[in-house]
Amino acid sequence: MFVIFGAAGHVGWMSAAALRRAGREVRAVVRHEEQGGPLAAIGCEIAVADLNDAVSVARAIEGAHAVQMLCPLPRAHADPAAAMRKMIDASVAAVRAAAPPRVLALSDYGAEHPDRTGITTLFHYLETQLRTIDAQLTFLRAAEHMHNWARMLPMALANGVLPSLHHPLDKLFPTVAAEDVGVLAAELLLDTSAPQTSPRVVSVEGDRRVSALDVARTLAEVSGRPVVAQEVPRGEWATVLRHAGLGDHHARLITDLYDAHNAGRIDVEAGVSERRFGATPLAQVLAALLPGVSATAAR
């Protein structure tokens, strides 16, 4: 049995679907029962669990041969970092007690750094806690997800300006499509062909690096509207993020993350990671996001 946490999300769905295509039994773990319908339709067993509740996590992984872990940032919480660490503690305690043979954790570029990387520091904490588990561990560190630009699209399409915290605008950075992460995660869960060190660290990004200028140019091409990238001045980051609805703690996580990005600290860990590359282009991801933006604008 392969247990996939966060199975209703972009990455989890692709992992569950790939494992089902390979003929494997999959238990798809979701937060709310109504999220399970599409997963049940492709043959998944559905489990409902709250990552803050070690008991429900333990039930979800009972009898698992392999577990794919996802601990998302609780964006709506007043202190997302504290809430995520609590989630990690509870879920890792459950996995430690059950001791499934294989565990794959979805992590981030830069997770080797213990501090000064904002949100990515929390994935360092996740990896550190998981190292206490007696299992074959894989840390799949993904570059910035292309889907993250979704929250900027309404503004960019309405005003023709794509705000960017990536400085300078022509700086190339790694990015990846969520579907490529999900498919690779399934491949790694199925890979028992060679002896592995534990933890096995694998990085994944797209086949080419992009800049904020590239993102704006691509968005203009797929939308048919003029879009230009614009640096958000460093001194205005916190104000802009708070105006976007983020609390002070969440805004600090974002500003610390992009400070680290712009300093070149969010990248592949030299000499440690196996490197993999996704094939989904940025244009395909942005084009798929546009109908959702149009539907929101129409309401």
Side-chain angles (χ1 to χ4, degrees):
M1 177 66 73
F2 289 78
V3 176
I4 308 297
F5 283 86
H10 293 296
V11 174
W13 167 266
M14 295 302 296
S15 297
L19 290 167
R20 289 297 299 140
R21 288 194 297 271
R24 299 305 200 270
E25 292 184 340
V26 175
R27 183 178 298 142
V29 186
V30 295
R31 182 73 182 266
H32 304 290
E33 190 170 356
E34 59 269 21
Q35 296 173 314
L39 291 153
I42 63 171
C44 295
E45 176 187 328
I46 306 301
V48 178
D50 179 351
L51 288 173
N52 290 296
D53 177 10
V55 174
S56 69
V57 173
R59 282 197 300 265
I61 63 178
E62 185 176 355
H65 165 71
V67 174
Q68 181 168 308
M69 292 295 302
L70 168 66
C71 286
L73 184 74
R75 301 179 186 277
H77 197 279
D79 189 345
M84 184 167 166
R85 282 192 292 267
K86 180 181 177 182
M87 180 191 303
I88 291 169
D89 289 341
S91 56
V92 169
V95 175
R96 185 185 301 113
R102 308 187 72 194
V103 175
L104 180 146
L106 298 170
S107 187
D108 264 13
Y109 271 28
E112 71 274 16
H113 299 301
D115 54 29
R116 296 184 296 115
T117 60
I119 291 172
T120 300
T121 302
L122 298 168
F123 289 95
H124 175 84
Y125 183 74
L126 171 64
E127 290 188 7
T128 300
Q129 297 304 103
L130 283 170
R131 288 173 190 268
T132 66
I133 292 174
D134 183 17
Q136 174 61 51
L137 294 174
T138 300
F139 297 149
L140 178 52
R141 294 179 182 166
E144 178 178 317
H145 284 201
M146 296 174 185
H147 285 83
N148 289 351
W149 289 97
R151 56 180 171 261
M152 309 304 297
L153 297 193
M155 181 187 304
L157 295 177
N159 303 326
V161 175
L162 180 72
S164 176
L165 305 187
H166 285 288
H167 292 183
L169 292 177
D170 62 354
K171 176 181 68 70
L172 298 178
F173 58 89
T175 186
V176 68
E179 48 261 48
D180 290 336
V181 180
V183 169
L184 175 57
E187 292 174 0
L188 294 172
L189 286 171
L190 292 168
D191 181 12
T192 58
S193 60
Q196 300 173 5
T197 58
S198 185
R200 179 185 188 184
V201 180
V202 181
S203 67
V204 59
E205 62 182 84
D207 61 356
R208 71 181 187 94
R209 296 192 168 193
V210 301
S211 68
L213 294 174
D214 294 322
V215 177
R217 187 179 306 116
T218 303
L219 180 57
E221 290 170 358
V222 300
S223 69
R225 305 183 194 182
V227 179
V228 296
Q230 183 179 82
E231 280 189 13
V232 178
R234 176 61 181 85
E236 297 177 13
W237 286 6
T239 300
V240 168
L241 292 169
R242 283 195 292 268
H243 284 168
L246 278 63
D248 288 343
H249 289 287
H250 193 177
R252 178 61 184 271
L253 290 174
I254 298 292
T255 57
D256 286 353
L257 171 64
Y258 279 92
D259 278 337
H261 249 303
N262 295 337
R265 298 183 71 220
I266 305 297
D267 212 319
V268 177
E269 184 178 8
V272 174
S273 295
E274 301 175 37
R275 298 194 67 183
R276 304 293 181 90
F277 298 90
T280 306
L282 177 64
Q284 181 177 325
V285 173
L286 294 180
L289 292 171
L290 289 181
V293 176
S294 299
T296 300
R299 286 201 292 267

